[in-house]
Structures are given as structure tokens and as C-alpha cells.
Amino acid sequence: MFKTTVTDLLEAALIERQDLFLIEFSIQGDNQIKVTIDGDNGVLVEDCMFISRAIEHNLDREEQDFSLEVMSAGATSPLIHKRQYKKNLNRVLYVKTTSEELEGALTETTDSDIKLEWKVREPKPIGKGKVTVKKQANIAYENIVEAKVMIKF
């Protein structure tokens, strides 16, 4: 009953704010509610407060004791939702697939896959020395084991 009420309140808040989307949601045994959100334009403290109020203000503490934590997906958190890829276009990603590990700029996202591009130095086909070659790979979402944004300083 409690979980259904919280789920309904969370869904209503996300319908009201179409730019935000759910990454993770759980209720622990002692009614400890944890919500992790992300947004197409990032997440501000005000966005977390909006979700928190939408849930908290519609629950009765006299009836049910609970704790509520609403947070944004961290910069180092793996990408889980397809919308997270779109918001990270042109950023460098580390992507581990079922068969290999790649690092490259995210240049395109579709409903089924992503495209990474990177440069490598390879021996010239003829003669001595090396040449810089642009490589790219299309990776289907279902083949991605883990993907993270590479933070460079």
C-alpha cells in the first residue's frame, strides 16, 4: 500500500516535469525511500526538492513513519537510461561491451544504438612512420555492459 502510494506520487511528479527521468527508486524495510533522478538538462537542487516535496507533502507522517532521500545521478555513475546518452553527446565515454572496451566521443544516439568516434595512430600502409586514423563503432544498447562519461581536467 505504502509503496504503491509513493510510486504513484513519484510518477505524477515525473509526468509534470517531463525533462526529469527516473534512474533508481527503492523503499527499504524501514520505509526509507531513495530516489535517484537525472534530467535532459542536468539536475539542480531545486529539481530534487520538487520531487521530494511532491512525495513528502502528500504522505501523512502520523500514519506512516518514513525517510526520504532524493538525489541526482552522479557524474561518475554509469549511464543506465537511453536519455542519459543523448544528454552526453560529444563527450568522451568509456564503454565496456560484451566483447571489448572502447573509449571515444559519443557522436550519435538512436533508439537502438550509439556511435563512438576516436583517433588512433597506426603504421602507414606503405613506407615508414605512423598516420592518425579516425575510427568509429556503432554499439547496440543491449551489448553495453557499462558506460561512463570520462571526466577530463
Side-chain angles (χ1 to χ4, degrees):
M1 170 85 185
F2 181 72
K3 184 169 184 156
T4 306
T5 305
V6 174
T7 303
D8 292 347
L9 292 169
L10 177 57
E11 286 174 358
L14 290 171
I15 287 169
E16 191 175 328
R17 287 290 307 277
Q18 295 282 314
D19 60 314
L20 301 176
F21 52 94
L22 186 64
I23 297 297
E24 198 172 351
F25 167 60
S26 68
I27 299 178
Q28 305 303 318
D30 54 351
N31 287 341
Q32 186 179 358
I33 306 164
K34 288 191 176 198
V35 179
T36 305
I37 58 171
D38 205 342
D40 295 326
N41 306 308
V43 177
L44 302 171
V45 173
E46 290 79 7
D47 299 326
C48 291
M49 288 167 55
F50 171 81
I51 298 293
S52 179
R53 285 185 185 127
I55 296 169
E56 191 171 7
H57 290 185
N58 292 294
L59 294 175
D60 186 356
R61 282 199 186 272
E62 300 292 318
E63 211 174 279
Q64 197 85 47
D65 189 32
F66 65 91
S67 67
L68 174 61
E69 187 179 356
V70 179
M71 60 200 129
S72 64
T76 58
S77 300
L79 304 180
I80 295 168
H81 200 286
K82 286 181 185 180
R83 283 170 71 176
Q84 289 179 294
Y85 289 91
K86 280 191 177 106
K87 77 174 232 179
N88 284 296
L89 273 172
N90 302 316
R91 295 185 76 184
V92 175
L93 298 186
Y94 159 80
V95 178
K96 182 178 180 181
T97 70
T98 48
S99 60
E100 62 186 336
E101 294 180 27
L102 301 167
E103 191 174 310
L106 178 63
T107 58
E108 195 178 314
T109 66
T110 68
D111 288 340
S112 59
D113 65 5
I114 63 170
K115 183 190 278 186
L116 288 185
E117 288 186 2
W118 66 96
K119 292 179 181 167
V120 290
R121 299 281 290 159
E122 291 185 348
K124 286 183 178 175
I126 300 170
K128 293 182 180 178
K130 292 190 173 198
V131 62
T132 300
V133 180
K134 190 187 222 181
K135 299 267 188 170
Q136 61 183 35
N138 284 23
I139 307 163
Y141 290 113
E142 67 254 18
N143 293 334
I144 297 173
V145 174
E146 181 181 63
K148 288 185 173 182
V149 174
M150 298 300 293
I151 298 173
K152 309 245 178 183
F153 296 97

